Amino acid sequence: MTPIEIEKVQREVDRLANKTVFLHLETTNGAYSAKKVGAYIRNGSIHYSEGRIKGTGPFRVGLKMEHGWVYAEGLTHWEVDEKGRLLLAGHDEEGKLAVACQIGEEAFE
């Protein structure tokens, strides 16, 4: 993974808009609080009409769905895998994974 380049990530978010896609979203301890908290969804099927990446780093991504939003914050790195899936990750000061947000037309294993 490489550090986020906002224009490149925005193009990938736009490429996956207006399609039914699979979502993997996961937080680990430390993503939002020093307390033990977390959230996890794998292969959630969503359809978003608009997506935006914002911030100056770490970044946040919001995906607008018909009846709500998916939102991930604290993102620092990205890549597109061999299946065309957008992989976004946020690492803490120690380099540990704090948040993952992955979007693709193929399910995640």
Side-chain angles (χ1 to χ4, degrees), residues 30-94:
Y32 299 103
S33 167
K35 298 179 181 179
K36 294 192 180 261
V37 297
Y40 183 89
I41 181 171
R42 186 157 186 90
N43 290 323
S45 179
I46 68 165
H47 186 102
Y48 67 91
S49 60
E50 179 182 346
R52 292 283 182 254
I53 180 167
K54 298 284 186 179
T56 56
F59 300 91
R60 61 188 177 279
V61 167
L63 307 174
K64 183 178 181 183
M65 300 180 299
E66 182 178 4
H67 299 290
W69 288 82
V70 172
Y71 186 80
E73 187 167 358
L75 301 166
T76 58
H77 291 78
W78 79 292
E79 70 180 29
V80 174
D81 73 5
E82 68 282 350
K83 295 181 178 179
R85 300 178 298 195
L86 174 59
L87 312 178
L88 299 163
H91 299 97
D92 66 14
E93 308 80 36
E94 299 173 359

